[in-house]
Structure formats: structure tokens, C-alpha cells
Amino acid sequence: MAESTDMELLLDSFKKFAIHGDTKATGKEMNGKNWAKLCKDCKVIDGKNVTSTDVDIVFTKVKAKSSRVITYEEFQKALEELAPKRFKGQSKEESLKSIYKLIEGKEPTNVGVTKVAKTGAVERLTDTTKYTGSHKERFDESGKGKGKSGREELVENTGYVGAYKNAGTYDEKTKAK
């Protein structure tokens, strides 16, 4: 019973890595790039016993000649090839269980993909409180953009020139006389 759930977890990991980065993928076949990512993310590649070259060679060995992808069955064969190499001191069955344990339940990581670089220069240039002139008028006090009202000069048909200080006082002056 425990082995069937382990195999389900392994199949689940296979599917997650198979569809990673490909919107058209079904999860039934894995390409070489995702196979290498699975081996790297699940620490099958240790840099000493198993390298990225070994992973690529095993991928090429287990896939069909004209194919560019491997199925789940071929994936298991590839793990059988890598297991004794990764866990040298163990028997074939023990090393296979150990390599399954590395992969079970894992999913692709997205390390450093969405981080925003905020160096001193970028922060200084994007700080809206330091804007001057016409650029300053495009943002409110909180730094949020005003949108169209901040970009366009809205026309006021009052008859006065823009920025005239005594706008709207003509009628008062003529009535006073």
C-alpha cells in the first residue's frame, strides 16, 4: 500500500515538471529541459557523482530514437540508470528507493524569477516625492498617479489666461464702479 502512494507521488512530480514552462504540455511526456530541471531541483545532480552531462546522456539513452520527449515509463528507466550512480554504496533496490524519495512530492521551483532590482539609482529615479515641475503634477501626495487628469492640460473656458491669479474678479471690479 505504501509503495503505491509513493508511486503516485512520483507520478505527480513527473506531471508537474512535465508541464512546467509549457502551456501546451499535457503532463504525459517530459522534454529534456524539464528532465534536467527535475534532476537539479530534486538534488539528483550532486555535482560529484551525477552531473548535468550524466543527466543529459541518460535522457538520450532512454528516449525513443526519433523522439524529443520521454514518457513516465522511460522516466522510471532513467531513474533506474541514475540511482546506482547517485547512491554508490547502496544496492540497486535501495538506491532506487532513495532516488524516488528525492523526487516524490516535489514541484518546480521559481527561484529569483520575480524579484525586482531596487538599487540606489532606481529607487531615486522612481521616488515620486522627488519629482519637480510638470512631472510632479502627475502624482498625488501619496505617490499614486493621477492618470489622464495628471497628463493632459484640461481647458477651462473662462476667458482668462492659464495661471492668472485674479481670475474671476472682473465682474466684481466693474460692479464696484
Side-chain angles (χ1 to χ4, degrees):
M1 183 69 190
E3 285 186 26
S4 67
T5 57
D6 290 349
M7 292 312 234
E8 285 173 21
L9 287 171
L10 192 68
L11 178 64
D12 189 45
S13 289
F14 173 82
K15 285 180 180 177
K16 284 179 182 174
F17 276 96
I19 61 170
H20 179 73
D22 188 4
T23 54
K24 296 178 188 87
T26 59
K28 293 185 174 113
E29 296 174 325
M30 182 184 289
N31 62 22
K33 179 181 70 78
N34 288 357
W35 161 248
K37 180 164 179 56
L38 178 139
C39 291
K40 187 171 167 244
D41 288 357
C42 297
K43 298 189 176 32
V44 173
I45 296 175
D46 61 354
K48 209 166 38 176
N49 298 329
V50 179
T51 63
S52 59
T53 309
D54 295 326
V55 167
D56 291 337
I57 290 169
V58 167
F59 180 83
T60 307
K61 204 184 284 186
V62 297
K63 74 176 179 61
K65 276 226 186 304
S66 61
S67 179
R68 302 178 83 187
V69 291
I70 58 172
T71 62
Y72 181 65
E73 289 73 29
E74 291 168 332
F75 166 74
Q76 288 180 311
K77 284 180 198 164
L79 290 179
E80 286 172 24
E81 293 248 352
L82 280 178
K85 202 167 194 179
R86 173 68 166 84
F87 300 100
K88 281 195 168 151
Q90 300 176 357
S91 70
K92 195 167 187 170
E93 292 79 26
E94 286 176 336
S95 62
L96 197 59
K97 283 183 182 176
S98 298
I99 208 162
Y100 285 171
K101 289 242 182 302
L102 286 176
I103 297 169
E104 286 167 3
K106 297 273 175 49
E107 49 188 69
T109 57
N110 294 326
V111 178
V113 174
T114 56
K115 286 187 180 171
V116 177
K118 276 272 191 179
T119 58
V122 174
E123 202 159 310
R124 201 171 49 247
L125 291 170
T126 56
D127 186 4
T128 57
T129 60
K130 292 183 171 67
Y131 287 175
T132 59
S134 62
H135 303 292
K136 189 174 193 169
E137 295 171 15
R138 292 180 49 211
F139 300 92
D140 60 12
E141 294 78 36
S142 67
K144 188 165 169 40
K146 290 182 183 176
K148 201 170 191 174
S149 64
R151 273 193 306 272
E152 291 183 359
E153 292 203 18
L154 302 175
V155 179
E156 297 172 6
N157 293 324
T158 59
Y160 290 98
V161 179
Y164 179 64
K165 290 179 185 153
N166 299 321
T169 58
Y170 178 76
D171 290 335
E172 293 170 14
K173 287 182 182 176
T174 53
K175 287 182 184 174
K177 290 184 182 178

